[in-house]
Amino acid sequence: MIEVGEYKVKEGLYYTKEHEWAQVLDDGTVLVGISDYAQKELGDVAYVELPEVGKEVSQGDVLCEIESVKAVSEVYAPVSGEIVEVNGELEDSPEKINEDPYGAWIAKIKPSNLEEDLKNLMTAEQYAEYLKSL
């Protein structure tokens, strides 16, 4: 874990400038969630509108919305592909995102253009540097 002030950045993941993380799994699918920075900025998460399984997304498309006590925020797809699974636990327990932002994934995507998409994402080290500039 890299610590940037009060924020934790999990190593081995890819990050977007909008504070999503992407974890490439052994089977080639990609788990998506939001970073520690994002969940702290949101405050207490009250509701997660999960994306639809089977939906095709392009990198940068809106994946879903997260509602907190402060605001409604959009979550963007870090990679292009088909949503093959969503984390149903978040429907009943959206606070899991606050408790463990790197464990509470939102969706699993079967990527269509992974190698190209990864070039547009930051490593944990790059993301930590990016956080320092905010």
Side-chain angles (χ1 to χ4, degrees):
M1 229 21 118
I2 301 170
E3 298 204 13
V4 180
E6 63 180 296
Y7 308 114
K8 291 181 171 44
V9 177
K10 186 173 178 183
E11 294 175 87
L13 305 179
Y14 293 92
Y15 294 87
T16 69
K17 285 191 168 164
E18 292 77 30
H19 311 289
E20 291 85 17
W21 57 260
Q23 178 182 9
V24 181
L25 301 178
D26 292 339
D27 66 2
T29 59
V30 177
L31 285 183
V32 178
I34 66 169
S35 71
D36 187 43
Y37 175 89
Q39 70 84 16
K40 282 190 169 105
E41 288 295 301
L42 278 169
D44 293 335
V45 174
Y47 177 72
V48 180
E49 181 193 312
L50 292 169
E52 200 176 307
V53 172
K55 178 180 173 186
E56 291 282 337
V57 292
S58 294
Q59 187 175 47
D61 282 358
V62 173
L63 186 66
C64 68
E65 287 186 343
I66 294 180
E67 292 180 25
S68 71
V69 291
K70 290 185 188 174
V72 176
S73 292
E74 294 178 329
V75 176
Y76 300 95
V79 297
S80 302
E82 179 190 351
I83 297 166
V84 292
E85 194 179 334
V86 294
N87 187 351
E89 282 186 357
L90 297 179
E91 287 183 319
D92 297 325
S93 305
E95 70 280 358
K96 285 182 184 286
I97 287 178
N98 294 119
E99 293 163 5
D100 183 7
Y102 298 112
W105 57 278
I106 294 168
K108 185 187 285 189
I109 297 175
K110 181 180 174 187
S112 56
N113 198 8
L114 187 61
E115 291 306 311
E116 283 302 308
D117 286 348
L118 290 180
K119 292 176 186 173
N120 300 321
L121 302 177
M122 292 178 274
T123 63
E125 292 76 18
Q126 290 167 326
Y127 181 66
E129 284 303 311
Y130 173 66
L131 287 181
K132 290 176 189 173
S133 73
L134 299 180

CSV table of all heavy atoms in Angstrom, one decimal, residues 80-105:
chain,number,residue,atom,x,y,z
A,80,SER,N,-12.8,-0.9,-21.8
A,80,SER,CA,-13.9,-1.2,-22.7
A,80,SER,C,-14.2,-2.7,-22.6
A,80,SER,O,-13.3,-3.5,-22.4
A,80,SER,CB,-13.6,-0.9,-24.1
A,80,SER,OG,-13.3,0.5,-24.3
A,81,GLY,N,-15.5,-3.0,-22.8
A,81,GLY,CA,-15.9,-4.5,-22.8
A,81,GLY,C,-17.3,-4.7,-22.3
A,81,GLY,O,-18.1,-3.8,-22.3
A,82,GLU,N,-17.6,-5.9,-22.0
A,82,GLU,CA,-18.9,-6.3,-21.6
A,82,GLU,C,-18.9,-6.6,-20.1
A,82,GLU,O,-18.1,-7.2,-19.5
A,82,GLU,CB,-19.3,-7.6,-22.3
A,82,GLU,CG,-20.7,-8.1,-21.9
A,82,GLU,CD,-21.0,-9.5,-22.4
A,82,GLU,OE1,-20.2,-10.1,-23.2
A,82,GLU,OE2,-22.0,-10.1,-22.0
A,83,ILE,N,-20.0,-6.0,-19.4
A,83,ILE,CA,-20.1,-6.3,-18.0
A,83,ILE,C,-20.6,-7.7,-17.8
A,83,ILE,O,-21.7,-8.0,-18.3
A,83,ILE,CB,-21.1,-5.2,-17.4
A,83,ILE,CG1,-20.5,-3.8,-17.5
A,83,ILE,CG2,-21.4,-5.6,-15.9
A,83,ILE,CD1,-21.5,-2.7,-17.2
A,84,VAL,N,-19.8,-8.5,-17.1
A,84,VAL,CA,-20.2,-9.9,-17.0
A,84,VAL,C,-20.7,-10.3,-15.6
A,84,VAL,O,-21.3,-11.3,-15.3
A,84,VAL,CB,-19.0,-10.9,-17.4
A,84,VAL,CG1,-18.8,-10.8,-18.9
A,84,VAL,CG2,-17.8,-10.6,-16.6
A,85,GLU,N,-20.5,-9.4,-14.6
A,85,GLU,CA,-20.9,-9.6,-13.2
A,85,GLU,C,-20.9,-8.3,-12.5
A,85,GLU,O,-20.1,-7.4,-12.8
A,85,GLU,CB,-19.9,-10.6,-12.5
A,85,GLU,CG,-20.4,-11.2,-11.2
A,85,GLU,CD,-19.4,-12.1,-10.7
A,85,GLU,OE1,-18.5,-12.7,-11.4
A,85,GLU,OE2,-19.4,-12.3,-9.4
A,86,VAL,N,-21.8,-8.2,-11.5
A,86,VAL,CA,-21.9,-7.0,-10.6
A,86,VAL,C,-21.8,-7.5,-9.2
A,86,VAL,O,-22.2,-8.6,-8.9
A,86,VAL,CB,-23.1,-6.1,-10.9
A,86,VAL,CG1,-23.0,-5.5,-12.2
A,86,VAL,CG2,-24.4,-6.8,-10.7
A,87,ASN,N,-21.4,-6.7,-8.3
A,87,ASN,CA,-21.3,-7.0,-6.9
A,87,ASN,C,-22.6,-6.7,-6.2
A,87,ASN,O,-22.8,-5.6,-5.7
A,87,ASN,CB,-20.1,-6.3,-6.2
A,87,ASN,CG,-19.9,-6.7,-4.8
A,87,ASN,OD1,-20.6,-7.5,-4.2
A,87,ASN,ND2,-18.8,-6.2,-4.2
A,88,GLY,N,-23.5,-7.7,-6.2
A,88,GLY,CA,-24.8,-7.6,-5.6
A,88,GLY,C,-24.9,-7.2,-4.1
A,88,GLY,O,-25.8,-6.7,-3.6
A,89,GLU,N,-23.8,-7.5,-3.4
A,89,GLU,CA,-23.7,-7.2,-2.0
A,89,GLU,C,-23.8,-5.7,-1.7
A,89,GLU,O,-24.3,-5.3,-0.7
A,89,GLU,CB,-22.3,-7.6,-1.4
A,89,GLU,CG,-22.1,-9.1,-1.1
A,89,GLU,CD,-20.8,-9.3,-0.4
A,89,GLU,OE1,-20.0,-8.4,-0.2
A,89,GLU,OE2,-20.6,-10.5,0.0
A,90,LEU,N,-23.4,-4.9,-2.7
A,90,LEU,CA,-23.5,-3.4,-2.6
A,90,LEU,C,-24.9,-2.9,-2.5
A,90,LEU,O,-25.2,-1.8,-2.1
A,90,LEU,CB,-22.7,-2.7,-3.7
A,90,LEU,CG,-21.2,-3.0,-3.6
A,90,LEU,CD1,-20.5,-2.3,-4.8
A,90,LEU,CD2,-20.5,-2.7,-2.3
A,91,GLU,N,-25.9,-3.7,-3.1
A,91,GLU,CA,-27.3,-3.2,-3.1
A,91,GLU,C,-27.8,-3.1,-1.6
A,91,GLU,O,-28.5,-2.2,-1.3
A,91,GLU,CB,-28.2,-4.2,-3.9
A,91,GLU,CG,-28.0,-4.1,-5.4
A,91,GLU,CD,-28.9,-4.9,-6.2
A,91,GLU,OE1,-29.1,-6.1,-5.8
A,91,GLU,OE2,-29.4,-4.4,-7.2
A,92,ASP,N,-27.4,-4.1,-0.8
A,92,ASP,CA,-27.9,-4.1,0.6
A,92,ASP,C,-26.9,-3.4,1.5
A,92,ASP,O,-27.2,-2.9,2.6
A,92,ASP,CB,-28.1,-5.5,1.1
A,92,ASP,CG,-29.2,-6.2,0.3
A,92,ASP,OD1,-30.2,-5.6,-0.1
A,92,ASP,OD2,-29.0,-7.4,0.1
A,93,SER,N,-25.6,-3.4,1.1
A,93,SER,CA,-24.5,-2.8,2.0
A,93,SER,C,-23.6,-1.9,1.2
A,93,SER,O,-22.4,-2.2,1.1
A,93,SER,CB,-23.7,-4.0,2.6
A,93,SER,OG,-24.6,-4.9,3.3
A,94,PRO,N,-24.1,-0.8,0.8
A,94,PRO,CA,-23.3,0.2,0.0
A,94,PRO,C,-22.1,0.7,0.8
A,94,PRO,O,-21.1,1.1,0.3
A,94,PRO,CB,-24.2,1.3,-0.4
A,94,PRO,CG,-25.4,1.2,0.6
A,94,PRO,CD,-25.5,-0.2,0.9
A,95,GLU,N,-22.2,0.7,2.1
A,95,GLU,CA,-21.2,1.2,3.0
A,95,GLU,C,-19.9,0.4,2.9
A,95,GLU,O,-18.8,0.8,3.3
A,95,GLU,CB,-21.6,1.3,4.5
A,95,GLU,CG,-21.8,-0.1,5.2
A,95,GLU,CD,-23.1,-0.8,4.9
A,95,GLU,OE1,-24.0,-0.3,4.1
A,95,GLU,OE2,-23.3,-1.9,5.4
A,96,LYS,N,-20.0,-0.8,2.3
A,96,LYS,CA,-18.7,-1.6,2.1
A,96,LYS,C,-17.7,-0.9,1.3
A,96,LYS,O,-16.5,-1.1,1.5
A,96,LYS,CB,-19.1,-2.9,1.4
A,96,LYS,CG,-19.8,-4.0,2.3
A,96,LYS,CD,-20.0,-5.3,1.5
A,96,LYS,CE,-20.8,-6.3,2.3
A,96,LYS,NZ,-20.0,-6.9,3.4
A,97,ILE,N,-18.1,0.0,0.5
A,97,ILE,CA,-17.2,0.9,-0.3
A,97,ILE,C,-16.4,1.8,0.6
A,97,ILE,O,-15.2,2.0,0.4
A,97,ILE,CB,-17.9,1.7,-1.4
A,97,ILE,CG1,-18.4,0.7,-2.5
A,97,ILE,CG2,-17.1,2.8,-2.0
A,97,ILE,CD1,-19.2,1.4,-3.6
A,98,ASN,N,-17.0,2.3,1.7
A,98,ASN,CA,-16.3,3.1,2.6
A,98,ASN,C,-15.4,2.3,3.5
A,98,ASN,O,-14.3,2.7,3.8
A,98,ASN,CB,-17.3,3.9,3.5
A,98,ASN,CG,-18.1,4.9,2.8
A,98,ASN,OD1,-19.3,4.8,2.8
A,98,ASN,ND2,-17.5,5.9,2.2
A,99,GLU,N,-15.8,1.1,3.8
A,99,GLU,CA,-15.1,0.2,4.8
A,99,GLU,C,-13.8,-0.3,4.1
A,99,GLU,O,-12.8,-0.5,4.7
A,99,GLU,CB,-16.0,-0.9,5.3
A,99,GLU,CG,-17.1,-0.4,6.2
A,99,GLU,CD,-18.2,-1.4,6.3
A,99,GLU,OE1,-18.1,-2.6,5.9
A,99,GLU,OE2,-19.2,-1.1,7.0
A,100,ASP,N,-14.0,-0.7,2.8
A,100,ASP,CA,-12.9,-1.4,2.1
A,100,ASP,C,-13.0,-1.1,0.6
A,100,ASP,O,-13.5,-1.9,-0.2
A,100,ASP,CB,-12.9,-2.9,2.3
A,100,ASP,CG,-11.8,-3.6,1.7
A,100,ASP,OD1,-10.8,-3.0,1.2
A,100,ASP,OD2,-11.8,-4.9,1.6
A,101,PRO,N,-12.5,0.1,0.2
A,101,PRO,CA,-12.7,0.5,-1.2
A,101,PRO,C,-12.0,-0.4,-2.2
A,101,PRO,O,-12.5,-0.5,-3.4
A,101,PRO,CB,-12.1,1.9,-1.3
A,101,PRO,CG,-11.2,2.1,-0.1
A,101,PRO,CD,-11.8,1.2,1.0
A,102,TYR,N,-11.0,-1.1,-1.8
A,102,TYR,CA,-10.3,-2.0,-2.7
A,102,TYR,C,-10.8,-3.4,-2.7
A,102,TYR,O,-10.4,-4.2,-3.5
A,102,TYR,CB,-8.7,-1.9,-2.5
A,102,TYR,CG,-8.2,-0.5,-2.7
A,102,TYR,CD1,-7.7,0.3,-1.7
A,102,TYR,CD2,-8.2,0.1,-4.0
A,102,TYR,CE1,-7.2,1.6,-1.9
A,102,TYR,CE2,-7.8,1.4,-4.2
A,102,TYR,CZ,-7.3,2.1,-3.2
A,102,TYR,OH,-6.8,3.4,-3.4
A,103,GLY,N,-11.6,-3.7,-1.7
A,103,GLY,CA,-12.2,-5.0,-1.6
A,103,GLY,C,-13.7,-5.0,-2.2
A,103,GLY,O,-14.2,-6.0,-2.7
A,104,ALA,N,-14.3,-3.8,-2.1
A,104,ALA,CA,-15.7,-3.7,-2.5
A,104,ALA,C,-15.8,-3.3,-4.0
A,104,ALA,O,-16.0,-2.2,-4.3
A,104,ALA,CB,-16.4,-2.7,-1.7
A,105,TRP,N,-15.5,-4.3,-4.9
A,105,TRP,CA,-15.6,-4.0,-6.3
A,105,TRP,C,-17.0,-3.8,-6.7
A,105,TRP,O,-18.0,-4.2,-6.1
A,105,TRP,CB,-15.0,-5.2,-7.1
A,105,TRP,CG,-15.6,-6.5,-6.8
A,105,TRP,CD1,-15.3,-7.3,-5.8
A,105,TRP,CD2,-16.6,-7.2,-7.6
A,105,TRP,NE1,-16.1,-8.5,-5.8
A,105,TRP,CE2,-16.9,-8.4,-7.0
A,105,TRP,CE3,-17.2,-6.9,-8.8
A,105,TRP,CZ2,-17.8,-9.3,-7.5
A,105,TRP,CZ3,-18.2,-7.8,-9.3
A,105,TRP,CH2,-18.4,-9.0,-8.6
